[in-house]
């Protein structure tokens, strides 16, 4: 991974630019707003340009969930997503929590690859999660997104 000169910082009131990035990870404004209300939002900048975002939410005193992660489309595939995941791990480890989880759709082939390369392991499947919680049909990689695959990593 080349040196990306990434600066990551906590934001309390995410700007419209950050919200637009978050919608790449989840088309539901309701879900995004709920995640932002209950979680912590970190943005990644290169110089002054916002290139990525990650939202973390505590599930209990042991486990934190990565609720959303997104990288600006023109900057994807350059290692920013990996750095955001590693940054999240550092924060959670320092907070004393022992486990990080992340959920993604059955159709999200690239995301499933990334999370497993970063040491997350598949733990469970929430059957029909996207059918139950979203009004629109989601298709990715020619596959209908129906189920949520939950992956976890011990820290
Ligand atoms: N097969 C194998 N490996 C793959 C594939 C594939 N089909 N697709 C991606 N990868 C690998 C890449 O090879 C790379 O690993 P490598 O460095 O070992 O080669 C890795 O996945 C991608 O790493 P990054 O470049 O760090 O990732 P990026 O900066 O593009 O960020 C992200 C990843 C956040 C998923 C970005 O693509 C994005 O914003 N996508 C749209 C929003 C989204 O889907 N967010 C996640 C939704 S789930 C959630 O938010 C909890
Ligand atoms: N992301 C998205 N789609 C993908 C990806 C990817 N990373 N990789 C493959 N695909 C899609 C292709 O796009 C294609 O779909 P499309 O026609 O809609 O574009 C489809 O998967 C592949 O279709 P075919 O060309 O018909 O498949 P192929 O003739 O290559 O056969 C097989 C697949 C049997 C898995 C072959 O690659 C193979 O022999 N692999 C090695 C042996 C193996 O792994 N066998 C399966 C083990 S599990 C078991 O045996 C029960």
């Amino acid at each position: 991974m080349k040196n990306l000169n990434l600066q990551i910082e906590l934001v309390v009131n995410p700007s419209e630019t950050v919200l637009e990035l978050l919608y790449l990870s989840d088309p539901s404004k309701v879900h995004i707003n709920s995640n932002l209300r209950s979680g912590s939002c970190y943005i990644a900048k290169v110089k002054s340009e916002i290139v990525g975002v990650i939202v973390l939410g505590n599930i209990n005193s042991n486990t934190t969930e990565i609720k959303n992660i997104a990288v600006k489309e023109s900057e994807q595939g350059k290692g920013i997503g990996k750095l955001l995941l590693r940054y999240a791990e550092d924060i959670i480890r320092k907070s004393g929590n022992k486990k990080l989880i992340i959920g993604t759709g059955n159709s999200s082939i690239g995301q499933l690859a990334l999370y497993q390369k970063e040491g997350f392991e598949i733990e469970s499947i929430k059957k029909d999660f996207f059918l139950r919680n979203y009004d629109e049909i989601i298709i990715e990689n020619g596959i209908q997104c129906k189920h949520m695959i939950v992956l976890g990593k011990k820290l």
Side-chain angles (χ1 to χ4, degrees), residues 93-118:
R93 207 175 278 115
K94 282 176 192 151
S95 80
N97 265 10
K98 299 276 183 283
K99 189 161 180 201
L100 197 49
I101 62 169
I102 190 163
T104 197
N106 59 279
S107 51
S108 298
I109 294 171
Q111 291 80 345
L112 285 166
L114 167 62
Y115 306 151
Q116 291 178 87
K117 282 178 176 180
E118 283 301 294

Side-chain angles (χ1 to χ4, degrees), residues 2-150:
K2 63 179 186 211
N3 184 7
L4 291 160
N5 283 326
L6 213 60
Q7 280 186 312
I8 302 180
E9 59 192 58
L10 181 66
V11 288
V12 179
N13 291 309
S15 64
E16 201 53 43
T17 309
V18 175
L19 292 175
E20 289 300 325
L21 268 184
L22 283 169
Y23 298 141
L24 293 177
S25 68
D26 188 331
S28 162
K29 291 188 179 179
V30 174
H31 293 169
I32 295 289
N33 285 335
S34 155
N35 292 345
L36 287 171
R37 268 196 306 277
S38 60
S40 310
C41 179
Y42 297 84
I43 57 166
K45 288 185 187 171
V46 175
K47 295 183 181 151
S48 57
E49 187 193 10
I50 297 168
V51 294
V53 59
I54 190 163
V55 179
L56 306 177
N58 282 338
I59 302 295
N60 54 43
S61 58
N62 188 49
T63 304
T64 299
E65 179 173 1
I66 297 175
K67 296 281 188 179
N68 303 97
I69 178 170
V71 170
K72 189 175 175 180
E73 274 169 313
S74 61
E75 304 303 314
Q76 290 176 8
K78 298 180 179 177
I80 295 171
K82 280 192 177 181
L83 286 179
L84 280 168
L85 289 173
R86 289 174 196 181
Y87 185 83
E89 278 181 44
D90 273 355
I91 294 175
I92 303 313
R93 207 175 278 115
K94 282 176 192 151
S95 80
N97 265 10
K98 299 276 183 283
K99 189 161 180 201
L100 197 49
I101 62 169
I102 190 163
T104 197
N106 59 279
S107 51
S108 298
I109 294 171
Q111 291 80 345
L112 285 166
L114 167 62
Y115 306 151
Q116 291 178 87
K117 282 178 176 180
E118 283 301 294
F120 287 80
E121 291 190 17
I122 292 175
E123 292 193 342
S124 62
I125 298 174
K126 291 185 182 169
K127 288 284 280 183
D128 296 330
F129 178 89
F130 292 95
L131 300 180
R132 281 189 270 108
N133 291 286
Y134 291 78
D135 292 332
E136 68 272 37
I137 291 176
I138 306 169
I139 309 273
E140 259 182 315
N141 299 301
I143 304 163
Q144 185 174 357
C145 182
K146 296 182 180 173
H147 318 297
M148 181 186 276
I149 315 278
V150 181

